């Protein structure tokens, strides 16, 4: 009979209640789940990509047997290499030939790094993998690094057209594609890499011989100082054997891939930001569970009254939270894996290596699982416990809406309200209601504000980092008060070259600069890392180092020099006013430090340790000849295209004059190259900031819908006294906007210390120095707009719900 | 109607609360006992009615804490802290209720009836005095112990039904069995349905409380109070929100339960109902001022 109506279900009623709580308020469930999911996604994708990148980079780097050092010298025959290999400190040594060609691909100028390899079947140091085609390139052909295909816009079977120093053109066929994990990344360096036999090298007009050799030390592969010591010994051998030692190179961090440091740095910074979003999503859990416990106070009382133990009820709510975590994980883990693969794939593409890991490594998976389940549970613990502490009587006889008597009679609420009524006397009544509402639930407001404030602060900080990077770049560029730097293949008399340059249309000013390099000879006899010398004519207005300490060069300074901050970072004992000894090859000279200048991001010279001096001084001290190869040009127009056009014109004209240009670089190009790298960083920082903003928005949406739910009765009353749909919606939206606005204001303040920290970290990680910090007022106002939009969206759904409440629903609400 | 219900199917031994109270032993030792609606108390382990009561009183059989009656309140005082200072809601109440009694608590609004009942069910604690129910000193139980004890020994019925809104009627009835782990999980549904039939709302079993009438909700609350087969039922104005006809049938149901061995305390405003119980206790200003035995 009637019994047929009800069906037996094996699910115990209390667990049915959990499902009901999940299901009956889908908005709540969706907001909490999404919020946690965004956090897990952020952490999962960044941490995942970090693990993948590190794993795969190491897996491809280590087998390549990267050099500990490369040494350029004359007459490196097999016997000599064998004698080096026989040194106990040296595990292996191999010779090769290396040269650089300038390439023109359409309008783009790029470079080709061409290696001559004695035996393609025996590349033991910096070995390459063969992707397709020949394993040994035939005569007049090369194997091209796969990263260079795109740079040159070529395919296997095509050919590369190169110009020899004497002006003849040669076509090099592409016989195969290889992967050289240690090749300079084409995207960042504008260098392609190719390999040829010595026969081909000879065909190109070079001697059929090594011009460098690479070594691996037998121990202390990661010890830069040790490698330096070994190189010093080798250098002595080179010189003792009557050969000429041209130079050497040691990696910044030996025995790790050059991209390792920046990759670990960026992924670490992003992971920290990701962890922030996960942390913030916990705030919404706290708010939601607090509200839930308050709403269900009476239900808790009933359950206790019919015999439920505290822990049993606690278990119900913790299960609910656990399920929130599970659903979030179900959403976030696959998305996080996609994100991790995407990010890792993008970065590895930029840096020319492969992602071999499929999906996401187990440990990342476990971290996601751990934090995804643990964080919500930890967040819910306090509200659940405090909800359970309420006695049965209090629970049963409360008004049921979580407004305990304590809160109502809180004395501090009074002055606050009167303050507000004072402030808002002239504001419309619905507006006033919003304002009062906003401050009603202090704890919830604090957490929501906390979430949005941190999101604001980080967004503004990321924007500040972006502006600071640009500022750093601007400051660097300002040092270079010119348009084009031209390097000639052979040194020229400056007067003659400048005269010719000034003849070229568009050129308004030109100077010849000395570029050179040396090392500091310390008092203990050791040598510093290479320091570049940049010596414009005395009184030149085209180079303006930014002074940190001391003074700039005067036109008549002879042995006075200005060094960049990085020199001081390396040589901390050096002070303004000190004499330092510099070694140029075997020769030593003394200079006086008159000032310290800020580092520049790049420049006419390859490193940031720069010594500025007057051209005349350099000549006098070193007794150097008059000819120079670096010419600095100021153009009439300063846009990228005009600069490029003038550069091309110089190249053409100088070719005719038999003063061949090796390469030229416009300031626009230099700037663009650096900006390109900065932008990658900024985009990822902004992506993380956007995720944080989403979490903040979800938190606000959660708060607003809780507020609306709890004020159902109040809204009913408003309806009863004739509030229109618009007015009811307005109240909710104004409240949301107000929270957004306050979080923006506090966030802008909090952003000051956070952005300084973040700028510091970014500067240290990517420039090994400080950024020229500027607080981004743009960021502040962009975020104001963003937060107001976010707040409007976040309160829209709750607002619509509020305006849709019928009187019947309001009355039946309990 | 209720009288037509036969002994509930008993597939597994479960606890007679009364027996437990008397013996203070583990439930497993007890023979299987059901809500004994067939009236054959002697055969199913419930203590003998009438005669046994008389005997227990004449023999002065004592419970563990020295009480001779099933329920004994000794000089119960309940103090409330209010803004206006201390307020005495109960001023040293003494009350004894023996098994199978049907006691009505009457009195003006604000006299302290709810406060008194809440002391017995353990929903609230006395400021001073003792509440002894069977072998249990209720005022000394911790919150956790209280929940377990109440779940198994006290059927609590509130003035405003207090069903969980998101659970169906049958699920509400099954809830105490679920929380107290009483009966085999499969048995709980059958038992719940039989209790709903007992209170006459089996056809509403799968509805949500909000889809049923006030009277039906109150019956559901009564069925829930009976779920764990507690020996004692405390009801705070169970008929206060019902029309007189429905109130009457609820009262009939209570009388029936008493006849079948339950002890019931019921707060009521209804003077007529008060005349039909074994004893009516009048509370005024936190004190018992009158007792009528019918
Ligand atoms: N939490 C409390 N704090 C202060 N005073 C209270 C509290 N709860 C009840 N009281 C007071 O104790 C007295 C007894 O309350 P109680 O609820 O027991 O009355 P009642 O007899 O059940 O009344 P009613 O018939 O209206 O339900 C009342 O005067 C009441 O105001
Ligand atoms: Mg009452």
């Amino acid at each position: 009979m009637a019994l047929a109506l009800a069906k037996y279900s094996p699910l115990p009623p209390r667990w049915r209640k959990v499902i009901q709580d999940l299901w009956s308020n889908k908005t709540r469930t969706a907001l909490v789940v999404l919020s946690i999911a965004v956090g897990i996604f952020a952490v999962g994708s960044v941490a995942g990509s970090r693990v993948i990148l590190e794993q795969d980079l190491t897996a491809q780097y280590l087998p390549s047997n990267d050099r500990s050092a490369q040494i350029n010298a004359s007459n490196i025959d097999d016997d000599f290499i064998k004698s080096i290999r026989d040194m106990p400190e040296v595990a292996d040594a191999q010779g090769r030939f290396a040269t650089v060609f300038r390439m023109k691909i359409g309008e783009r100028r790029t470079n080709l790094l061409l290696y001559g390899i004695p035996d393609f079947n025996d590349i033991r140091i910096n070995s390459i993998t063969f992707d397709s085609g020949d394993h040994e390139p035939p005569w007049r052909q090369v194997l091209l690094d796969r990263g260079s295909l795109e740079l040159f816009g070529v395919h296997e079977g095509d050919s590369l057209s190169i110009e020899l120093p004497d002006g003849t053109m040669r076509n090099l066929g592409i016989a195969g594609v290889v992967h050289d994990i240690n090749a300079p990344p084409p995207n960042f360096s504008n260098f392609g890499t190719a390999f040829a036999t010595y026969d081909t090298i000879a065909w190109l007009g070079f001697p059929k011989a090594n011009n460098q050799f690479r070594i691996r030390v037998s121990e202390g592969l990661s010890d830069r100082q040790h490698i330096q010591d070994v190189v010093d010994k080798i250098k002595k051998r080179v010189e003792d054997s009557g050969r000429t030692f041209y130079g050497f190179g040691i990696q910044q961090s030996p025995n790790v891939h050059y991209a390792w440091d920046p990759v670990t740095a960026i992924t670490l910074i992003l992971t920290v930001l990701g962890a922030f979003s996960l942390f913030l999503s916990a705030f919404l859990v706290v708010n939601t569970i607090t509200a839930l416990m308050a709403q269900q106070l009476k239900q808790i009382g009933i359950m206790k009254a019919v015999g439920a133990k505290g822990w049993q009820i606690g278990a119900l709510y913790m299960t609910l939270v656990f399920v929130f975590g599970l659903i979030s994980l179900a959403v976030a883990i696959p998305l996080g894996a996609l994100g991790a693969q995407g990010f890792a794939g993008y970065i590895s593409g930029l840096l020319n290596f492969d992602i071999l890991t499929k999906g996401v490594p187990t440990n990342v998976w476990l971290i996601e699982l751990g934090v995804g389940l643990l964080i919500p549970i930890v967040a819910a613990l306090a509200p659940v416990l405090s909800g359970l502490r309420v006695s049965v009587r209090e629970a049963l006889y409360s008004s049921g809406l979580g407004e305990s008597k304590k809160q109502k009679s809180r004395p501090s609420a009074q002055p606050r309200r009167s303050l507000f009524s004072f402030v808002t006397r002239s504001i419309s009544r619905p507006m006033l209601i919003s304002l009062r509402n906003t401050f009603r639930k202090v704890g919830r407001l604090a957490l929501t504000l906390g979430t949005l404030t941190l999101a604001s602060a980080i967004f503004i900080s990321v924007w500040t980092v972006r502006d600071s990077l640009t500022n750093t770049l601007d400051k660097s560029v300002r040092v270079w008060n010119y348009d084009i730097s031209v390097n000639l293949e052979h040194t020229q008399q400056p007067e003659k070259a400048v005269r010719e340059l000034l003849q070229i249309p568009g050129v308004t000013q030109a100077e010849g600069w000395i570029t050179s390099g040396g090392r500091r000879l310390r008092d203990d006899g050791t040598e510093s890392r290479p320091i570049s010398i940049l010596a414009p004519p005395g009184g030149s207005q085209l180079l303006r180092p930014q002074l940190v300490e001391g003074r700039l060069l005067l036109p008549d300074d002879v042995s006075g020099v200005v060094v960049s901050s990085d020199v001081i970072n390396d040589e901390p004992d050096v002070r303004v006013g000190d004499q330092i000894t510099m070694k140029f090859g075997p020769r030593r000279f003394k200079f006086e430090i008159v000032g310290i200048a800020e580092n520049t991001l790049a420049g006419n010279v390859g490193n940031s340790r720069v010594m500025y001096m007057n051209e005349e001084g350099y000549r006098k001290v070193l007794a150097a000849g008059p000819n120079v190869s670096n010419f600095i040009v100021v153009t009439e127009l300063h846009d990228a295209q005009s600069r490029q056009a003038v550069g091309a014109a110089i190249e053409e004209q100088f070719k005719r004059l038999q003063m061949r240009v090796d390469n030229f670089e416009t300031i626009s190009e230099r700037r663009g190259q650096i900006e390109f790298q900065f932008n990658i960083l900024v985009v990822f920082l902004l992506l993380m900031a956007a995720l944080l903003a989403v979490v903040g928005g979800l938190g606000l949406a959660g708060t607003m819908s809780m507020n609306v739910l709890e004020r159902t009765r109040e809204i009913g009353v408003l309806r009863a006294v004739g509030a229109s749909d618009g007015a009811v919606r307005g109240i909710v939206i104004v409240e949301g906007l107000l929270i957004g606005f306050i979080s923006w204001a506090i966030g802008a303040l909090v952003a000051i210390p956070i952005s300084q920290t973040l700028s510091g970290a970014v500067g240290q990680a990517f420039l090994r120095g400080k950024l020229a910090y500027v607080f981004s007022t743009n960021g502040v106002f962009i975020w104001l707009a963003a937060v107001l939009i976010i707040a409007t969206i976040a309160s829209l759904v709750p607002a619509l719900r509020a305006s849709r409440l019928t009187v019947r629903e309001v009355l039946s609400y309990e | 109607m209720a009288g037509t219900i036969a002994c509930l199917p008993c597939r597994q031994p479960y606890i007679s609360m009364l027996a437990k109270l008397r013996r203070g032993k583990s439930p497993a030792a007890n023979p299987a006992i059901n809500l004994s609606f067939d009236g054959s108390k002697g055969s199913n382990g419930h203590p003998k009615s009438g005669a046994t009561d008389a005997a227990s009183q004449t023999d002065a059989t004592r419970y563990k804490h020295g009480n001779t009656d099933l329920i004994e309140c000794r000089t119960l005082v309940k103090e409330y802290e209010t803004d206006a200072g201390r307020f005495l809601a109960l001023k040293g109440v003494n009350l004894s209720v023996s098994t199978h009694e049907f006691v009505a608590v009457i009195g003006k609004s604000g006299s302290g009836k709810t406060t008194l009942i809440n002391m017995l069910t353990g929903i609230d604690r006395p400021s001073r005095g003792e509440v002894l129910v069977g072998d249990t000193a209720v005022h000394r139980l911790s919150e956790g112990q209280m929940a377990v004890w109440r779940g198994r020994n006290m059927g609590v019925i509130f003035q405003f039904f207090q069903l969980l809104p998101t659970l169906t009627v049958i699920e509400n009835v099954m809830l105490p069995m679920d929380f107290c782990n009483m009966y085999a999980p499969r048995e709980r549904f059958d038992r719940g349905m039989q209790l709903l039939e007992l209170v006459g709302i089996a056809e509403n079993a799968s509805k949500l409380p909000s889809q049923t009438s006030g009277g039906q909700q109150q019956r559901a609350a009564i069925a829930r109070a009976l779920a764990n087969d507690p020996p004692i039922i405390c009801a705070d104005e169970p008929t206060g929100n019902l029309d007189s006809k429905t109130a009457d049938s609820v009262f009939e149901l209570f009388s029936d339960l008493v006849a079948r061995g339950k002890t019931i305390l019921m707060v009521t405003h209804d003077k007529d109902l008060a005349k039909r119980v074994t004893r009516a206790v009048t509370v005024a200003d936190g004190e018992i001022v009158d007792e009528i035995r019918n």
Side-chain angles (χ1 to χ4, degrees), chain A residues 316-372:
Chain A
L316 293 189
Y317 290 99
M318 293 318 278
T319 305
L320 183 73
V321 174
F322 187 76
V323 174
F324 282 153
L326 277 184
I327 305 176
S328 312
L329 281 171
V331 179
I333 285 189
L335 288 179
L338 280 181
Q341 279 288 338
F343 181 61
Y346 177 72
I347 295 290
S348 69
L350 282 178
L351 297 175
N352 191 23
F353 66 94
D354 289 319
I355 292 305
L356 308 169
T357 309
K358 296 270 174 287
V360 168
T362 330
N363 45 354
V364 174
W365 216 83
L366 290 176
I367 290 173
E368 287 178 85
L369 206 66
V371 291

Side-chain angles (χ1 to χ4, degrees), chain B residues 76 119 125-126 129-132 136-141 146:
Chain B
L76 271 189
M119 298 295 136
R125 287 169 187 279
E130 294 183 313
V131 183
L132 305 172
T136 310
V138 178
H139 58 284
R140 286 201 208 121
L141 296 179
M146 187 88 82

Side-chain angles (χ1 to χ4, degrees), chain B:
Chain B
M1 126 204 114
T4 61
I5 302 290
C7 183
L8 293 172
C10 86
R11 292 176 199 140
Q12 210 173 303
Y14 68 96
I15 316 142
S16 159
M17 283 309 113
L18 205 54
K20 188 197 170 202
L21 281 170
R22 285 237 184 247
R23 300 178 201 156
K25 274 190 188 165
S26 117
N30 289 298
I33 304 161
N34 252 307
L35 252 188
S36 32
F37 296 116
D38 57 354
S40 54
K41 292 166 194 96
S43 62
N44 64 14
H46 268 285
K48 302 267 188 295
S49 57
T52 319
D53 268 342
S56 65
Q57 273 167 16
T58 49
D59 298 353
T61 307
R62 281 173 180 262
Y63 289 88
K64 207 168 137 195
H65 296 282
N67 47 320
T68 50
D69 281 311
L70 177 61
I71 304 173
E72 270 191 46
C73 300
R74 296 178 178 170
T75 55
L76 271 189
V77 174
K78 180 65 188 179
E79 245 175 38
Y80 283 119
E81 295 282 345
T82 64
D83 291 340
R86 297 235 169 117
F87 176 79
L88 279 181
L90 294 178
K91 301 172 178 169
V93 171
N94 288 301
L95 175 67
S96 297
V97 179
S98 39
T99 17
H100 310 331
E101 266 199 285
F102 188 177
V103 178
V105 179
I106 51 180
K108 284 204 211 86
S109 182
S111 55
K113 307 180 296 292
T114 299
T115 310
L116 176 59
I117 283 281
N118 283 353
M119 298 295 136
L120 301 179
T121 54
I123 283 174
D124 206 352
R125 287 169 187 279
S127 309
R128 283 185 291 282
E130 294 183 313
V131 183
L132 305 172
V133 178
D135 282 334
T136 310
V138 178
H139 58 284
R140 286 201 208 121
L141 296 179
S142 72
E143 273 289 308
Q145 291 170 321
M146 187 88 82
V148 179
W149 171 81
R150 188 191 310 117
R152 299 194 173 194
N153 298 302
M154 281 280 172
V156 185
I157 301 165
F158 304 96
Q159 185 170 2
F160 297 101
F161 330 136
Q162 311 279 33
L163 300 172
L164 293 197
T166 51
L167 295 186
T168 61
V169 167
I170 178 70
E171 283 166 343
N172 265 288
V173 175
M174 288 159 70
L175 202 58
M177 302 186 250
D178 185 14
F179 277 127
C180 296
N181 205 16
M182 298 278 283
Y183 308 97
R186 296 232 47 174
E187 214 178 313
R188 290 173 193 158
F189 177 77
D190 296 337
R191 181 172 168 82
M193 286 310 294
Q194 268 151 350
L195 287 170
L196 285 178
E197 253 182 273
L198 175 72
V199 296
I201 53 159
E203 63 275 17
N204 292 312
S206 49
K207 286 184 181 169
L208 289 174
S210 57
Q211 296 164 332
T212 63
S213 75
Q216 287 163 338
Q217 288 182 44
Q218 190 59 297
R219 283 153 191 259
I222 293 168
R224 186 180 63 189
L226 294 171
N228 286 342
D229 193 18
I232 303 164
I233 291 164
C234 287
D236 191 354
E237 295 188 49
T239 57
N241 284 299
L242 304 180
D243 65 86
S244 60
K245 194 161 165 278
T246 319
D248 214 53
S249 66
V250 168
F251 183 79
E252 282 301 320
L253 187 57
F254 279 15
S255 305
D256 215 37
L257 288 169
V258 174
R260 283 157 211 288
K262 304 284 174 200
T263 304
I264 298 185
L265 274 97
M266 177 179 82
V267 174
T268 183
H269 279 288
D270 192 329
K271 290 270 160 54
D272 288 341
L273 290 182
K275 281 178 191 142
R276 291 154 62 185
V277 296
T278 16
R279 181 150 59 115
V281 176
T282 308
V283 180
D285 238 354
E287 287 172 305
I288 294 183
V289 292
D290 194 14
E291 275 200 47
I292 305 161
R293 283 181 189 270
N294 295 319

Side-chain angles (χ1 to χ4, degrees), chain A residues 280 283 438-439 444-461 692-701 703-704 734-752 754 775 779-792 794:
Chain A
L280 290 186
F283 284 13
T438 309
F439 292 92
R444 179 180 304 166
L445 176 67
L447 286 184
T448 314
L449 271 179
T451 313
L452 269 178
T453 300
L454 213 69
S456 308
I458 291 195
F459 184 92
I460 295 170
S461 299
L692 269 166
V694 169
V695 171
L698 289 170
L700 181 59
T703 297
M704 296 310 297
V734 166
E735 184 178 352
L737 286 176
L738 189 64
I739 295 177
F741 186 81
I742 297 173
S743 72
W744 167 78
I746 307 174
L749 290 178
V750 178
I752 296 171
I754 292 188
F775 187 72
V780 169
F781 288 103
I782 289 170
W783 177 250
L784 176 61
V787 83
L788 292 182
I789 293 168
I790 290 171
T792 310

Side-chain angles (χ1 to χ4, degrees), chain A residues 5 125 183 263-264 272 316 341 350 399 406 525 590 701 720 739 743 745 792:
Chain A
L5 267 169
I125 297 178
V263 163
T264 49
V272 169
L316 293 189
Q341 279 288 338
L350 282 178
S399 64
K406 258 183 258 159
K590 279 201 185 297
I739 295 177
S743 72
T792 310

